[in-house]
Amino acid sequence: MIEAHLAKMRCRGPVSEAEEEAIRGLVADVRSFGPDEIVIRAGEPLSNSMLLIDGWLGRVRDLESGQRQITELHVAGDFADLHGYTLKRLDHHVVTFTHSKIAIVPHDRIDRLIQDFPHLMRLYWFSTNLDAAIHREWVVSIARRPADSRLAHMFCELHARLAVIGRVRDDSFTFPLTQEELAECAGLTSVHVNRTLQDLRARELIRLQHRTLSILDYPALRQLADFDPSYLHLEKKPI
Amino acid sequence: MIEAHLAKMRCRGPVSEAEEEAIRGLVADVRSFGPDEIVIRAGEPLSNSMLLIDGWLGRVRDLESGQRQITELHVAGDFADLHGYTLKRLDHHVVTFTHSKIAIVPHDRIDRLIQDFPHLMRLYWFSTNLDAAIHREWVVSIARRPADSRLAHMFCELHARLAVIGRVRDDSFTFPLTQEELAECAGLTSVHVNRTLQDLRARELIRLQHRTLSILDYPALRQLADFDPSYLHLEKKPI
DNA sequence: CGCGGTGTTGAGACCTGTCAAGACGTGTGG
DNA sequence: CCACACGTCTTGACAGGTCTCAACACCGCG
């Protein structure tokens, strides 16, 4: 059920049997959502967090002008709103992009978990700091990189994050976002995303069809993106 | 010494005498830095965090192209790299913009503190999540807002953050960044920042001279910025 | 078979970037 | 006290990336 989550945790360091048991005990309930639903609305008081079991979620901000900005993407194994555990309300919505299965984790269970397992407290704190690192990388990308590098960077990041949970095969993975949604991530318009994707295809860097993204030339894509995966902290180091 | 830090903490909820004492005990040493120094270099292993007592710091990323992007600004009372406590190395440099006085906080003292005061653990975890919220707001700003709103938003954010620590008088505060550095925050060039500032001045929204920023028409600036301070969680709520 | 969402294309406008030069101003050394 | 130097701010002309608007093509699904 939460194997992807455990895989992600273990990729940073050992998780004992007892800890694993405790983590499994976090889940109070599992709920299913359709695509394009709002899972958590900005501002509402929270007493649970959401552990994504399967599907794709995003954090999105609606602007006054009617535009949307996606601030982070979440895949299986991610806690989508663990920061809500301390903040108690979010500054953004959490929405589904696909059918999604989500484990509900009541905050009081997290209370108990981190009390019993200080090591897990550090791991979960770490994981919210990792979200911040991802935000920072997006700031850099959106502020400074041209459209092609920007998309390339997103693809490299997802490649790395999905690989950890075993969802990449031959540098291919399913990528369910529409070009419109991709634009909302990258700070571009869907028209420009469309043209940029054509460009990336023409240069034989990627293939993207039927919701599947194939990276055809990873070294070249990585160079175009100026992608350095160290901010994802994927190497094994005990915390 | 760390009054600004305590003021910031207290603005979110009560901090007991004992807790205050413990927080003061975090400081192992105080160091001074000149302007434009690198305080922490990206990637180097960390065993301390830096609590800014006075001055201005920033988190900056150097790009391959030679450009720089500033990812967050820090003012008195901020922990500049508390996320380093869990991550153990940073994905960015921490640099000074002005003369700065910084308290050195060894990680093992934080270990002890959060063990003794679970409430403070939550507060400090919260504060790193707050940094993430600020990152998110920057993503939105840089991705979607035109140059004038973008600068306006930065000024509103700083106004709110500095007010908490008593550094705003009559909607004025010292703002020591050069236009070049401002550009590195906003994802613009210094030339464009210059022209945009002239525009904001001409519209009588701000005055900026001699390193002092005066907000002349806060409601108008806030509206231009589409600024909603709730992401800063400045209202009093026990955590 | 038709419909709605998604992807594609073109032309033109606009915001921001680039390059280059000059003005200002503040601190330093003679 | 002046002269100079260096960083910062300012300005102009032009280039270029991205956006806007609008139309059309495609495709999966009911």
Side-chain angles (χ1 to χ4, degrees):
Chain A
M1 197 58 134
I2 59 165
E3 311 315 316
H5 180 64
L6 289 165
K8 220 175 53 127
M9 300 285 277
R10 289 220 158 89
C11 126
R12 268 99 196 193
V15 174
S16 74
E17 296 272 311
E19 288 173 336
E20 172 170 341
E21 209 46 54
I23 292 171
R24 289 187 190 281
L26 286 176
V27 180
D29 190 14
V30 174
R31 290 171 56 192
S32 280
F33 292 83
D36 299 313
E37 288 190 39
I38 296 187
V39 177
I40 304 164
R41 206 168 283 276
E44 69 186 14
L46 301 174
S47 53
N48 300 302
S49 284
M50 307 276 184
L51 177 49
L52 180 54
I53 294 172
D54 207 23
W56 286 63
L57 301 183
R59 308 186 183 187
V60 329
R61 273 284 313 271
D62 290 316
L63 297 222
E64 225 187 39
S65 60
Q67 299 177 99
R68 296 203 320 169
Q69 178 62 34
I70 296 172
T71 258
E72 191 174 358
L73 293 175
H74 287 296
V75 298
D78 290 355
F79 252 117
D81 62 339
L82 186 53
H83 53 310
Y85 170 64
T86 64
L87 297 175
K88 293 304 176 201
R89 62 183 167 72
L90 301 187
D91 44 89
H92 54 263
H93 305 310
V94 175
V95 308
T96 59
F97 295 118
T98 66
H99 259 279
S100 300
K101 228 167 31 168
I102 298 178
I104 309 295
V105 176
H107 286 172
D108 49 22
R109 294 202 191 185
I110 304 181
D111 289 338
R112 223 167 321 126
L113 181 84
I114 66 183
Q115 196 181 324
D116 296 346
F117 299 93
H119 169 244
L120 291 182
M121 179 220 73
R122 295 174 68 92
L123 267 181
Y124 282 119
W125 188 346
F126 171 96
S127 106
T128 60
N129 286 161
L130 197 65
D131 286 325
I134 292 172
H135 292 334
R136 255 173 259 133
E137 203 57 41
W138 283 40
V139 167
V140 172
S141 235
I142 293 171
R144 296 293 168 196
R145 297 198 247 258
D148 55 352
S149 312
R150 224 182 281 181
L151 294 185
H153 200 281
M154 277 196 55
F155 297 150
C156 287
E157 177 184 308
L158 287 168
H159 176 84
R161 289 170 60 189
L162 290 167
V164 167
I165 54 167
R167 308 256 173 148
V168 175
R169 198 171 308 279
D170 295 333
D171 286 343
S172 293
F173 50 89
T174 105
F175 181 77
L177 298 208
T178 64
Q179 295 184 0
E180 178 73 39
E181 288 156 348
L182 198 42
E184 288 167 353
C185 292
L188 299 165
T189 58
S190 63
V191 172
H192 200 61
V193 164
N194 182 286
R195 295 195 228 262
T196 306
L197 285 175
Q198 288 178 53
D199 180 43
L200 293 177
R201 283 191 272 244
R203 288 147 81 183
E204 299 193 325
L205 295 172
I206 62 160
R207 192 164 45 213
L208 175 51
Q209 48 188 336
H210 311 304
R211 314 276 104 133
T212 297
L213 181 79
S214 301
I215 296 178
L216 303 178
D217 185 344
Y218 181 75
L221 193 70
R222 176 178 169 161
Q223 185 180 8
L224 171 63
D226 183 26
F227 177 69
D228 173 355
S230 59
Y231 73 97
L232 293 172
H233 290 259
L234 293 174
E235 73 295 349
K236 270 197 162 45
K237 272 205 183 160
I239 295 170
Chain B
M1 196 58 135
I2 59 166
E3 312 314 318
H5 179 63
L6 288 166
K8 221 176 54 130
M9 299 285 278
R10 289 221 158 89
C11 126
R12 269 95 195 196
V15 174
S16 73
E17 297 272 312
E19 287 174 338
E20 173 171 339
E21 209 45 54
I23 291 172
R24 289 186 190 280
L26 286 175
V27 180
D29 189 16
V30 174
R31 290 171 58 193
S32 279
F33 292 84
D36 299 313
E37 287 191 40
I38 296 188
V39 178
I40 304 163
R41 206 168 282 278
E44 69 187 13
L46 300 175
S47 53
N48 300 303
S49 284
M50 307 277 184
L51 178 48
L52 181 53
I53 294 172
D54 207 23
W56 286 63
L57 301 182
R59 309 186 182 185
V60 329
R61 273 283 313 271
D62 290 316
L63 297 222
E64 224 186 42
S65 60
Q67 300 177 98
R68 298 202 319 170
Q69 177 62 32
I70 297 172
T71 256
E72 191 175 358
L73 293 174
H74 287 296
V75 297
D78 290 356
F79 251 118
D81 62 337
L82 187 52
H83 54 308
Y85 171 65
T86 63
L87 296 174
K88 293 304 175 199
R89 61 182 168 73
L90 301 187
D91 43 90
H92 55 262
H93 305 311
V94 175
V95 307
T96 59
F97 296 118
T98 66
H99 259 280
S100 300
K101 224 160 44 161
I102 299 178
I104 309 296
V105 177
H107 286 171
D108 48 22
R109 294 203 190 183
I110 303 180
D111 288 339
R112 222 165 323 125
L113 181 84
I114 66 182
Q115 195 179 325
D116 295 347
F117 298 93
H119 170 244
L120 291 181
M121 177 220 76
R122 296 172 69 92
L123 267 180
Y124 282 120
W125 188 346
F126 171 96
S127 105
T128 60
N129 286 161
L130 197 64
D131 286 325
I134 292 172
H135 292 334
R136 255 173 261 132
E137 202 57 40
W138 283 39
V139 166
V140 172
S141 233
I142 293 171
R144 296 294 169 195
R145 297 197 247 257
D148 56 352
S149 313
R150 225 182 281 181
L151 294 185
H153 200 282
M154 277 197 55
F155 296 150
C156 287
E157 178 184 307
L158 287 169
H159 176 83
R161 289 170 59 190
L162 290 168
V164 166
I165 54 167
R167 307 255 174 149
V168 175
R169 197 170 309 278
D170 295 333
D171 287 344
S172 293
F173 50 89
T174 106
F175 181 78
L177 297 208
T178 64
Q179 295 183 2
E180 179 72 39
E181 289 157 348
L182 198 42
E184 287 168 353
C185 292
L188 298 165
T189 57
S190 63
V191 172
H192 201 62
V193 163
N194 182 285
R195 295 196 228 261
T196 306
L197 285 175
Q198 289 178 53
D199 181 43
L200 294 177
R201 283 191 272 245
R203 287 147 81 183
E204 300 192 324
L205 295 172
I206 63 160
R207 192 164 45 212
L208 174 52
Q209 48 189 339
H210 311 305
R211 313 275 105 134
T212 298
L213 182 78
S214 301
I215 297 180
L216 303 178
D217 186 344
Y218 181 73
L221 193 71
R222 176 179 169 161
Q223 184 180 9
L224 171 62
D226 185 25
F227 177 70
D228 173 356
S230 58
Y231 73 97
L232 293 173
H233 290 260
L234 292 175
E235 72 294 349
K236 269 198 162 45
K237 273 207 181 158
I239 295 169

mmCIF file of all heavy atoms in Angstrom, chain B residues 54-70:
data_model
loop_
_atom_site.group_PDB
_atom_site.id
_atom_site.type_symbol
_atom_site.label_atom_id
_atom_site.label_comp_id
_atom_site.label_asym_id
_atom_site.label_seq_id
_atom_site.Cartn_x
_atom_site.Cartn_y
_atom_site.Cartn_z
ATOM 1 N N ASP B 54 21.862 40.522 13.294
ATOM 2 C CA ASP B 54 21.698 41.815 12.651
ATOM 3 C C ASP B 54 22.350 41.795 11.271
ATOM 4 O O ASP B 54 23.406 41.198 11.087
ATOM 5 C CB ASP B 54 22.321 42.925 13.502
ATOM 6 C CG ASP B 54 21.626 44.254 13.242
ATOM 7 O OD1 ASP B 54 20.465 44.230 12.799
ATOM 8 O OD2 ASP B 54 22.255 45.300 13.459
ATOM 9 N N GLY B 55 21.709 42.475 10.330
ATOM 10 C CA GLY B 55 22.219 42.518 8.970
ATOM 11 C C GLY B 55 21.239 41.848 8.008
ATOM 12 O O GLY B 55 20.113 41.519 8.382
ATOM 13 N N TRP B 56 21.684 41.702 6.768
ATOM 14 C CA TRP B 56 20.845 41.077 5.746
ATOM 15 C C TRP B 56 21.619 39.939 5.092
ATOM 16 O O TRP B 56 22.755 40.124 4.625
ATOM 17 C CB TRP B 56 20.453 42.088 4.668
ATOM 18 C CG TRP B 56 19.424 43.070 5.117
ATOM 19 C CD1 TRP B 56 19.536 43.984 6.110
ATOM 20 C CD2 TRP B 56 18.099 43.231 4.570
ATOM 21 N NE1 TRP B 56 18.380 44.716 6.215
ATOM 22 C CE2 TRP B 56 17.479 44.280 5.285
ATOM 23 C CE3 TRP B 56 17.384 42.594 3.549
ATOM 24 C CZ2 TRP B 56 16.184 44.711 5.009
ATOM 25 C CZ3 TRP B 56 16.103 43.038 3.273
ATOM 26 C CH2 TRP B 56 15.503 44.071 4.002
ATOM 27 N N LEU B 57 20.964 38.781 5.026
ATOM 28 C CA LEU B 57 21.548 37.632 4.347
ATOM 29 C C LEU B 57 20.653 37.205 3.202
ATOM 30 O O LEU B 57 19.483 37.569 3.136
ATOM 31 C CB LEU B 57 21.676 36.442 5.302
ATOM 32 C CG LEU B 57 22.514 36.586 6.568
ATOM 33 C CD1 LEU B 57 22.540 35.261 7.319
ATOM 34 C CD2 LEU B 57 23.926 37.006 6.204
ATOM 35 N N GLY B 58 21.210 36.406 2.320
ATOM 36 C CA GLY B 58 20.404 35.835 1.254
ATOM 37 C C GLY B 58 20.866 34.437 0.925
ATOM 38 O O GLY B 58 22.017 34.084 1.183
ATOM 39 N N ARG B 59 19.945 33.672 0.374
ATOM 40 C CA ARG B 59 20.291 32.358 -0.152
ATOM 41 C C ARG B 59 20.457 32.531 -1.652
ATOM 42 O O ARG B 59 19.539 32.998 -2.322
ATOM 43 C CB ARG B 59 19.182 31.356 0.103
ATOM 44 C CG ARG B 59 18.716 31.311 1.544
ATOM 45 C CD ARG B 59 17.731 30.195 1.733
ATOM 46 N NE ARG B 59 17.216 30.149 3.086
ATOM 47 C CZ ARG B 59 16.413 29.198 3.538
ATOM 48 N NH1 ARG B 59 16.018 28.228 2.730
ATOM 49 N NH2 ARG B 59 15.996 29.209 4.782
ATOM 50 N N VAL B 60 21.602 32.192 -2.170
ATOM 51 C CA VAL B 60 21.802 32.412 -3.602
ATOM 52 C C VAL B 60 22.327 31.170 -4.313
ATOM 53 O O VAL B 60 23.082 30.381 -3.756
ATOM 54 C CB VAL B 60 22.733 33.615 -3.911
ATOM 55 C CG1 VAL B 60 22.617 34.693 -2.855
ATOM 56 C CG2 VAL B 60 24.157 33.182 -4.058
ATOM 57 N N ARG B 61 21.872 31.022 -5.530
ATOM 58 C CA ARG B 61 22.314 29.946 -6.404
ATOM 59 C C ARG B 61 23.081 30.538 -7.573
ATOM 60 O O ARG B 61 22.596 31.468 -8.225
ATOM 61 C CB ARG B 61 21.096 29.204 -6.967
ATOM 62 C CG ARG B 61 20.578 28.081 -6.085
ATOM 63 C CD ARG B 61 21.461 26.847 -6.187
ATOM 64 N NE ARG B 61 21.749 26.541 -7.572
ATOM 65 C CZ ARG B 61 20.978 25.763 -8.315
ATOM 66 N NH1 ARG B 61 19.944 25.164 -7.800
ATOM 67 N NH2 ARG B 61 21.282 25.561 -9.577
ATOM 68 N N ASP B 62 24.260 29.998 -7.827
ATOM 69 C CA ASP B 62 25.008 30.395 -9.015
ATOM 70 C C ASP B 62 24.627 29.472 -10.160
ATOM 71 O O ASP B 62 24.615 28.253 -9.996
ATOM 72 C CB ASP B 62 26.513 30.275 -8.756
ATOM 73 C CG ASP B 62 26.998 31.327 -7.775
ATOM 74 O OD1 ASP B 62 26.589 32.487 -7.921
ATOM 75 O OD2 ASP B 62 27.768 30.988 -6.859
ATOM 76 N N LEU B 63 24.359 30.061 -11.307
ATOM 77 C CA LEU B 63 24.035 29.240 -12.474
ATOM 78 C C LEU B 63 25.272 29.057 -13.333
ATOM 79 O O LEU B 63 26.213 29.851 -13.277
ATOM 80 C CB LEU B 63 22.936 29.877 -13.320
ATOM 81 C CG LEU B 63 21.562 30.069 -12.733
ATOM 82 C CD1 LEU B 63 20.506 29.708 -13.770
ATOM 83 C CD2 LEU B 63 21.352 29.239 -11.490
ATOM 84 N N GLU B 64 25.210 28.026 -14.128
ATOM 85 C CA GLU B 64 26.305 27.744 -15.055
ATOM 86 C C GLU B 64 26.600 28.953 -15.941
ATOM 87 O O GLU B 64 27.744 29.264 -16.245
ATOM 88 C CB GLU B 64 25.895 26.558 -15.937
ATOM 89 C CG GLU B 64 26.969 25.529 -16.136
ATOM 90 C CD GLU B 64 26.513 24.494 -17.135
ATOM 91 O OE1 GLU B 64 25.898 24.864 -18.157
ATOM 92 O OE2 GLU B 64 26.767 23.302 -16.896
ATOM 93 N N SER B 65 25.522 29.629 -16.323
ATOM 94 C CA SER B 65 25.655 30.765 -17.238
ATOM 95 C C SER B 65 26.319 31.973 -16.577
ATOM 96 O O SER B 65 26.553 32.979 -17.238
ATOM 97 C CB SER B 65 24.270 31.174 -17.721
ATOM 98 O OG SER B 65 23.477 31.555 -16.611
ATOM 99 N N GLY B 66 26.568 31.875 -15.265
ATOM 100 C CA GLY B 66 27.169 33.000 -14.589
ATOM 101 C C GLY B 66 26.138 33.877 -13.887
ATOM 102 O O GLY B 66 26.484 34.737 -13.092
ATOM 103 N N GLN B 67 24.875 33.653 -14.188
ATOM 104 C CA GLN B 67 23.832 34.402 -13.502
ATOM 105 C C GLN B 67 23.706 33.923 -12.056
ATOM 106 O O GLN B 67 24.130 32.828 -11.719
ATOM 107 C CB GLN B 67 22.484 34.193 -14.202
ATOM 108 C CG GLN B 67 22.434 34.632 -15.635
ATOM 109 C CD GLN B 67 21.074 34.309 -16.248
ATOM 110 O OE1 GLN B 67 20.198 35.142 -16.331
ATOM 111 N NE2 GLN B 67 20.889 33.063 -16.647
ATOM 112 N N ARG B 68 23.122 34.753 -11.233
ATOM 113 C CA ARG B 68 22.821 34.362 -9.860
ATOM 114 C C ARG B 68 21.316 34.483 -9.625
ATOM 115 O O ARG B 68 20.660 35.361 -10.184
ATOM 116 C CB ARG B 68 23.498 35.287 -8.846
ATOM 117 C CG ARG B 68 25.002 35.323 -8.879
ATOM 118 C CD ARG B 68 25.609 35.796 -7.566
ATOM 119 N NE ARG B 68 24.907 36.905 -6.936
ATOM 120 C CZ ARG B 68 25.153 37.337 -5.704
ATOM 121 N NH1 ARG B 68 26.091 36.758 -4.975
ATOM 122 N NH2 ARG B 68 24.480 38.352 -5.195
ATOM 123 N N GLN B 69 20.785 33.620 -8.802
ATOM 124 C CA GLN B 69 19.400 33.802 -8.392
ATOM 125 C C GLN B 69 19.336 33.767 -6.876
ATOM 126 O O GLN B 69 19.825 32.833 -6.248
ATOM 127 C CB GLN B 69 18.490 32.715 -8.979
ATOM 128 C CG GLN B 69 17.038 32.821 -8.528
ATOM 129 C CD GLN B 69 16.356 34.124 -8.951
ATOM 130 O OE1 GLN B 69 16.671 34.680 -9.998
ATOM 131 N NE2 GLN B 69 15.448 34.620 -8.125
ATOM 132 N N ILE B 70 18.752 34.803 -6.305
ATOM 133 C CA ILE B 70 18.518 34.833 -4.867
ATOM 134 C C ILE B 70 17.170 34.183 -4.607
ATOM 135 O O ILE B 70 16.194 34.446 -5.302
ATOM 136 C CB ILE B 70 18.529 36.278 -4.343
ATOM 137 C CG1 ILE B 70 19.920 36.888 -4.559
ATOM 138 C CG2 ILE B 70 18.156 36.319 -2.873
ATOM 139 C CD1 ILE B 70 20.008 38.367 -4.254
#
